[in-house]
Amino acid sequence: MSETSDGWTITTTSAATSAARRGSTIDEERVAELLDQLVDYDPVVAIAPDNSRLVLTVSLPGARAAADAVKEGARLHRTHAKRVGLPSWPIVRADAMTWDEHDRDLAEPAYPELAGVAEIAETLHVSAQRVSTMQRTHDGFPAPIAKLRSGPVWVRAHITSFADSWARKPGRPSKSG
């Protein structure tokens, strides 16, 4: 049974080998030419900060099997990159996603839901001051993912998991001596 879709989003990644990288550069003018050549495919290009990878995403309309769509995406990547003078690096990754699946991915947040001290206090039914104390003294309390000038920030799912397993004791916590 073959997979079909109204269309596919194909992402291909080419990467420099140490030998191929010498003398190879990715410049904005060549990338602009690549985008112009592939305009009918709604292209998106990303370049690794160290210029070692070129990622090309294209949209391929028409029902076809995922494997065929990947082959076509890889062919477009290689052919057009070469045509505009971009490095001829090997393709090291290729992904296919139906347009429906791509839309679902785009609807999801690109980062986890976050929580600060006030949100945690509300979740745990304690004061913000108690949250600040707990983060320093409670062994099982999750570590913040970032410390901003406004205070620490946690992934909400980590706090929810902590809350579900927290053996809360009634009354005020004892004072440390």
Side-chain angles (χ1 to χ4, degrees), residues 50-108:
D50 66 353
N51 253 8
S52 66
R53 291 178 176 274
L54 175 72
V55 181
L56 173 65
T57 300
V58 294
S59 293
L60 298 175
R64 62 183 81 173
D68 294 335
V70 168
K71 282 181 188 175
E72 178 63 9
R75 185 193 67 75
L76 289 169
H77 184 135
R78 284 189 302 271
T79 301
H80 290 278
K82 183 177 182 179
R83 188 175 291 159
V84 301
L86 287 167
S88 296
W89 295 334
I91 292 181
V92 296
R93 181 176 181 169
D95 298 306
M97 189 181 315
T98 65
W99 285 351
D100 289 342
E101 188 63 22
H102 190 217
D103 288 345
R104 278 191 285 279
D105 271 11
L106 291 174
E108 292 293 319

Side-chain angles (χ1 to χ4, degrees), residues 116-142 152 154 159 162 166-176:
V117 171
E119 292 82 8
I120 295 170
E122 187 175 291
T123 299
L124 299 179
H125 305 290
V126 298
S127 68
Q129 187 175 24
R130 177 75 176 121
V131 171
S132 294
T133 301
M134 287 176 71
Q135 74 163 323
R136 291 189 312 273
T137 62
H138 196 288
D139 287 337
F141 200 84
W154 289 263
I159 297 303
F162 169 79
W166 182 33
R168 185 174 186 174
K169 298 176 184 149
R172 293 179 60 97
S174 62
K175 292 185 177 182
S176 306

